[in-house]
Structures are given as C-alpha cells and as structure tokens.
Amino acid sequence: MKMAENAATKNHFPPQVFSVSVDMPSQGGSKWFDDDGRVRRTGTVWTASAHIITAVIGSGVLSLAWAVAQLGWIAGPAVMFLFSLVTYFTSSLLAVCYRTGDPVNGKRNYTYMDAVRSNLGGGMVKICGYVQYLNLFGVAIGYTIAASISMMAVKRSNCFHKTGGKDPCHMNANPYMIAFGIAEIIFSQIPDFEKLWWLSIVAAVMSFTYSSIGLGLGIAKVAETGNIQGSLTGISIGTVTETQKIWRSFQALGDIAFAYSFSIILIEIQDTVKSPPTEAKTMKKASLISVSVTTLFYMLCGCFGYAAFGDMSPGNLLTGFGFYNPYWLLDIANVAIVIHLVGAYQVFCQPLFAFIEKTAAQRFPDSEFITKEIKIPIPGSRSYNLNLFRLVFRTIFVILTTLISMLLPFFNDIVGLLGALGFWPLTVYFPVEMYIAQKKIPKWSTRWLCLQILNATCLIITIAAATGSVAGVVGDLKTVKPFQTSY
C-alpha cells in the first residue's frame, strides 16, 4: 500500500523556526536538530524498510496471478525477478540523489521533484511534475474501480452462498463507485498528510490482511486439488487468439511494473532517516531488504494463484471468483481492500491537492475564496478550518475520477496502463539521469553507456506494456456500454 509519504512530512518544520545557538557536531546540526534546522531524524534501516514494504504491497498484488498466467512458469517468475533487480538498482541510484553534491553535508532534497530540480534543472522538473501528477490522477481512477469491484464481490459472494452458485448474481457497478466517491469527498477535506496518519496505519494493516488471505487461499486450493495448474509458456492459443496472447503478455508487464512502483516516494522516505551512516547507505540497505521481501511475497502470491487456476486465473485474485469458499473469509478480504483503498486514494491524491492549492494561492493571493479559512467549532475537539476553494476543488476532483471510472471500469487494463506510464519515467529515467548528473559521469564512457542501455531497454518494455493495456481497454470498450457496467 502506497502510503509512506505521510511519514516523510510529519514533524517537519520550517528551518527558520530554529535560530537557537547550539554546539554543532562534525556532520552539522545538534543533539536535537539536523543540519537543515529540522527536528533530528530518527529513522533506521528497519523503519525505512517497513515504509517501503507498506507502500509497495497493495492492490497490484491481486493481478499478479493473472500476469503470471499470461507469461507462463518460465517468463512469469523471471520477469518479476528482473523487475525487482531493476527497481533495486535504480532505487540505489535515486538514494544517492537525496543530497546534492557531497553525500554527507550536501543540500538535502526533501521530495522527488526537489531532487529533479537540484540535479536536472527547471525543464525536467515540469516534465517530472506532469508525469507524477498524471500518474497520481490515474491511480485515483484505478483505486475507485478496484474498490467498487470489491464492494460488489462482498454482495456477490453472499449471493452465491445463498443460491448455491445457481444465480450468476449480476449487479451494476455504478452505485458502488458513487458510494466510494462520496466517501472520498468527505475524507478529501482532511487538510494534509499530518492529519492522515491514522488513516495510513489502518490502510497498511488492511493491505497485509487481504494480500495474506489471497496467498493463503491459493496455497489451500493447490493443497486441496493436489494439482499444479499452468504451463511453461502461459495461457494457451485456443483459450485466446494469437493476437490476444501478444497483447495480454504486454499488459502483464504493465501489471508487474505497477506492483513495483514505489520510487516516487523513496526520497520522502529517505528524508526520515538519521545519519550517520549516510542516508544513501541506509537507504540502499533498506531498498535491498524491502525489495527482497516484496519479491518473495509477490512470487508466492502470483505463482500460487497461477498454480491454483492455470489459464483461468482471474484478473483480480479475490474478486474474480476463483474462490467461492469460505465466503466469510472472502468478505473479510474484500472489506479490507475497500478500507485500504479509501486511505490509499487520499495518500496518493494529497500531493496533487497540495500542488494545485499552493499554485492557486500563489497566483491569486488576494482572493478570499482561495485563501480564507472559516473556523467551524467542533465540540470536544479543535475547530475545523474550512477553505472554500479546497472544498470545491477536491469535490470536483473526486467527482471527475468517479465519472471516468464509470466510463472505464477495467481493473487489469487500468492497472497495466498505470504501471507502464509510471515505471520508466519515475523508476528508471529520472533516477538514471540524476545519478549521471550527480556523479558527473562522462558521456560515452562504459558506465554511461551501460546506464543508457538500461534506460532504453526499460523504455521499450514500457511502450510494449502501454500498448498492450491500451489494446485491452479498446477491446473492453467494444463490449461495455458507458455507465452501464455490470459484473
């Protein structure tokens, strides 16, 4: 579950607040404050690893059995392993870019975009911002779709149980998307990350709950039948056409990429880590630990899901009804998904909300509609500061993502597309280019060529994954009527 940004911003205060005279140790700072004047960071390898694992393990894990089914027993695990290697390597490059210049006393970069600004300059910051915020907008759509499917899965599993599987229990997705949207309109009025900590903790617990249930059910299914489904080359021609096989294989790459996307918050997590040792050294260890744990978990979920269902592996392991019983356990898992996604939606959208609201305040500083805070007293608690611009903008944003979700209610295709769009630029391109600039690696040197080959290879994979996902969306649109989707 992608929600470690919260930890990165908590307890950070403007440097100018601290103008006291202190004894400065060799690396700068004091006993209570770091070299930038902020409260001393206390994060360790283990806290950073926990943040990353919590951030990574989310709804993407539910599509991995389907992804492995498209690629087969050889390519499926191999691709997951390769993605883990690339993610770890580029995360190590990105960790070096937390400080500009000197790795011990260089200027800190508090966010991903700060690192891009320091190492690559203004033009790249704009490109990074567009990619980052477009990706966050897409994630909001993907989470709305996933949450509505899980809400319907609870009702459908109970329906299946009552009728003994005789009733197909079809239902319209729109009411559930609207219900999720209403909940997000309410939660979106939470002003910032600092007020989201409790939602983040609940969501993190939920993500491990449903992922573990999915893994456990896959293992139980294999143990029950005693058969390992699947083939070396994946879903067979006949079950799908040759063209579908190609597109689905490409889409599977996007699904796996989505499951590994955490680079966008790595700098924010690194900003919670204490030193010495250097933050980069700590973060490299944390990345190794967390990527290893995550890959093991992904391998188990993806492979056991494929072993249980073979070519018929559902696009969403807990809502595709590969499992029918125990229905109450499926209900718990799907409720956990919904709760997790309520929090995940907010954590992912908060940076976008903050950016828009900050930009509006800078452009129209004299507008009371944008800047005025109305204090609303709450009995037994602090008063709530209502900002009219925040109320209107965030409400329109949630309504827009809900409407688009109702138009494009395709979990797998959207997940694949998001993974493709976010993986290469945010996980590979910017970390590689920032590292080259930071270390002043000469053009056409062996090291430079190797990094650019990695860059180009991942770009090709991203284009293939995006193409497969777009083909999937186009194919789905031929059979689905807008605003009339049922499952």
Side-chain angles (χ1 to χ4, degrees), residues 178-312:
I178 293 170
F180 184 78
I182 291 170
E184 294 305 337
I185 287 173
I186 295 169
F187 282 110
S188 69
Q189 298 311 309
I190 297 174
D192 51 42
F193 275 134
E194 192 175 345
K195 307 293 190 299
L196 274 177
W197 63 268
W198 61 273
L199 196 59
S200 297
I201 292 172
V202 171
V205 173
M206 294 300 105
S207 69
F208 275 98
T209 299
Y210 68 71
S211 298
S212 300
I213 290 173
L215 172 60
L217 289 172
I219 293 172
K221 184 81 172 179
V222 173
E224 179 189 342
T225 60
N227 295 322
I228 295 177
Q229 304 285 335
S231 65
L232 296 179
T233 56
I235 192 165
S236 54
I237 305 298
T239 306
V240 293
T241 65
E242 289 185 14
T243 304
Q244 286 177 322
K245 169 78 173 175
I246 294 170
W247 292 136
R248 283 180 167 217
S249 297
F250 287 164
Q251 187 186 330
L253 298 177
D255 284 11
I256 294 171
F258 181 79
Y260 274 103
S261 297
F262 74 91
S263 294
I264 195 170
I265 57 166
L266 189 135
I267 294 288
E268 285 85 346
I269 294 172
Q270 191 166 346
D271 193 42
T272 68
V273 172
K274 66 181 179 181
S275 64
T278 64
E279 297 90 354
K281 189 174 182 180
T282 300
M283 207 60 193
K284 287 178 183 178
K285 288 182 180 177
S287 294
L288 179 61
I289 292 168
S290 54
V291 170
S292 299
V293 170
T294 302
T295 300
L296 176 63
F297 198 78
Y298 282 178
M299 287 281 190
L300 290 172
C301 285
C303 292
F304 270 106
Y306 183 42
F309 301 110
D311 286 356
M312 303 310 293

Side-chain angles (χ1 to χ4, degrees), residues 160-459:
F160 276 125
H161 179 70
K162 286 179 181 177
T163 63
K166 295 176 183 177
D167 188 340
C169 301
H170 290 304
M171 58 192 68
N172 192 291
N174 292 345
Y176 299 92
M177 291 189 186
I178 293 170
F180 184 78
I182 291 170
E184 294 305 337
I185 287 173
I186 295 169
F187 282 110
S188 69
Q189 298 311 309
I190 297 174
D192 51 42
F193 275 134
E194 192 175 345
K195 307 293 190 299
L196 274 177
W197 63 268
W198 61 273
L199 196 59
S200 297
I201 292 172
V202 171
V205 173
M206 294 300 105
S207 69
F208 275 98
T209 299
Y210 68 71
S211 298
S212 300
I213 290 173
L215 172 60
L217 289 172
I219 293 172
K221 184 81 172 179
V222 173
E224 179 189 342
T225 60
N227 295 322
I228 295 177
Q229 304 285 335
S231 65
L232 296 179
T233 56
I235 192 165
S236 54
I237 305 298
T239 306
V240 293
T241 65
E242 289 185 14
T243 304
Q244 286 177 322
K245 169 78 173 175
I246 294 170
W247 292 136
R248 283 180 167 217
S249 297
F250 287 164
Q251 187 186 330
L253 298 177
D255 284 11
I256 294 171
F258 181 79
Y260 274 103
S261 297
F262 74 91
S263 294
I264 195 170
I265 57 166
L266 189 135
I267 294 288
E268 285 85 346
I269 294 172
Q270 191 166 346
D271 193 42
T272 68
V273 172
K274 66 181 179 181
S275 64
T278 64
E279 297 90 354
K281 189 174 182 180
T282 300
M283 207 60 193
K284 287 178 183 178
K285 288 182 180 177
S287 294
L288 179 61
I289 292 168
S290 54
V291 170
S292 299
V293 170
T294 302
T295 300
L296 176 63
F297 198 78
Y298 282 178
M299 287 281 190
L300 290 172
C301 285
C303 292
F304 270 106
Y306 183 42
F309 301 110
D311 286 356
M312 303 310 293
S313 295
N316 184 321
L317 195 59
L318 292 173
T319 62
F321 287 95
F323 304 113
Y324 291 95
N325 287 300
Y327 78 99
W328 57 267
L329 189 59
L330 283 173
D331 288 352
I332 291 172
N334 281 298
V335 168
I337 291 173
V338 174
I339 295 171
H340 160 229
L341 292 176
V342 167
Y345 184 106
Q346 288 304 315
V347 171
F348 267 84
C349 290
Q350 282 291 340
L352 181 55
F353 291 160
F355 173 74
I356 297 294
E357 289 160 14
K358 181 181 177 183
T359 302
Q362 288 173 344
R363 293 201 176 180
F364 307 101
D366 299 325
S367 171
E368 288 193 1
F369 175 70
I370 293 175
T371 59
K372 187 177 180 181
E373 300 270 338
I374 302 170
K375 289 190 177 294
I376 299 177
I378 301 175
S381 181
R382 292 181 181 179
S383 61
Y384 175 76
N385 294 328
L386 175 67
N387 177 278
L388 292 178
F389 177 73
R390 182 173 66 225
L391 175 65
V392 173
F393 161 64
R394 296 189 182 190
T395 300
I396 291 173
F397 176 89
V398 174
I399 291 171
L400 183 60
T401 58
T402 304
L403 288 174
I404 295 174
S405 301
M406 291 161 71
L407 282 168
L408 303 170
F410 322 121
F411 177 74
N412 266 78
D413 298 323
I414 296 298
V415 163
L417 189 58
L418 290 173
L421 293 176
F423 184 78
W424 175 71
L426 299 173
T427 303
V428 181
Y429 176 76
F430 283 114
V432 165
E433 293 301 319
M434 284 193 287
Y435 181 79
I436 289 172
Q438 175 91 299
K439 295 298 183 181
K440 297 179 173 59
I441 298 172
K443 215 170 189 180
W444 305 113
S445 63
T446 303
R447 200 175 182 189
W448 184 90
L449 283 171
C450 289
L451 288 170
Q452 295 301 345
I453 288 169
L454 172 66
N455 221 340
T457 303
C458 290
L459 174 59

Side-chain angles (χ1 to χ4, degrees), residues 454-486:
L454 172 66
N455 221 340
T457 303
C458 290
L459 174 59
I460 292 168
I461 292 172
T462 290
I463 291 170
T467 304
S469 297
V470 169
V473 170
V474 171
D476 288 334
L477 286 173
K478 292 177 181 178
T479 59
V480 173
K481 294 180 181 180
F483 303 109
Q484 296 182 24
T485 303
S486 62

Side-chain angles (χ1 to χ4, degrees), residues 102-161:
D102 185 77
V104 177
N105 297 311
K107 174 185 170 292
R108 295 174 185 266
N109 297 303
Y110 303 121
T111 67
Y112 193 107
M113 286 184 68
D114 285 344
V116 174
R117 184 178 292 107
S118 296
N119 289 284
L120 300 178
M124 284 297 184
V125 174
K126 289 183 178 179
I127 295 171
C128 175
Y130 287 133
V131 173
Q132 180 179 354
Y133 294 131
L134 180 64
N135 194 258
L136 295 178
F137 182 75
V139 167
I141 295 169
Y143 282 178
T144 303
I145 296 168
S148 67
I149 292 173
S150 289
M151 284 189 274
M152 286 189 292
V154 173
K155 191 168 182 180
R156 290 184 71 199
S157 71
N158 292 330
C159 174
F160 276 125
H161 179 70

